[in-house]
Amino acid sequence: MTDPAPENNEASRKSTRPPRINSHKQFRDEMAALRARLSLSLQQLDHASQQLGRDKRLPPATVSNVLNRDRLPEWDFVADYLAACGLSEDERHPWRDAWQELRARGHDTPDEAAQAAAAPALEADPAAGPHHRGRARAARSAV
């Protein structure tokens, strides 16, 4: 069997760079999307982390729990995850930059972006009824 063409390898490596990330949820979603683009199962990710000799394994349940929490994962977890995905130290730098930017904002509570996005949807939905629309207006006017 032959190796994939170099341009295919280059294209898949470019896809390891995160886009502009604006929320904790988006960061976690991009981590999951990276694993999906690389066609790695959670079991394969755990196996890869063991092969790297990491102190922390990445059991499927742990990965799932961390990526589904409403907070930014700790950098040690992110670094181990990215290494298990096969990213080099240089390829992890943009992820570290995005992580540090989000961390500097100081939002360790549920994603404000998701909460803000929900408020206009309530007001725009006539089926939500006046009670819900009024609550969305009151929440925005209190800001």
Side-chain angles (χ1 to χ4, degrees), residues 1-132:
M1 184 169 192
T2 61
D3 287 334
E7 59 274 2
N8 290 343
N9 286 337
E10 182 63 26
S12 70
R13 297 317 298 173
K14 284 182 182 177
S15 69
T16 63
R17 185 178 184 87
R20 174 87 174 122
I21 295 177
N22 297 310
S23 72
H24 295 181
K25 180 179 183 335
Q26 185 185 6
F27 189 91
R28 294 186 314 271
D29 290 348
E30 289 299 329
M31 288 177 67
L34 171 67
R35 184 181 58 80
R37 280 192 305 273
L38 297 173
S39 300
L40 290 171
S41 69
L42 290 173
Q43 290 77 16
Q44 290 170 318
L45 191 71
D46 184 29
H47 182 72
S49 71
Q50 293 174 48
Q51 297 301 316
L52 292 171
R54 300 278 181 208
D55 291 337
K56 291 184 183 179
R57 286 187 48 214
L58 297 172
T62 299
V63 173
S64 181
N65 287 337
V66 170
L67 295 183
N68 287 303
R69 275 189 219 145
D70 282 341
R71 59 177 296 214
L72 188 64
E74 294 298 321
W75 176 250
D76 288 344
F77 174 86
V78 175
D80 288 345
Y81 182 98
L82 297 174
C85 284
L87 273 66
S88 69
E89 188 74 33
D90 286 342
E91 291 170 315
R92 291 191 297 257
H93 283 295
W95 287 90
R96 173 86 183 187
D97 293 344
W99 183 88
Q100 287 177 323
E101 184 178 324
L102 290 170
R103 185 60 140 197
R105 292 182 196 167
H107 301 297
D108 281 321
T109 58
D111 294 322
E112 292 181 359
Q115 292 172 356
L122 288 175
E123 185 173 12
D125 182 7
H131 176 72
H132 294 293

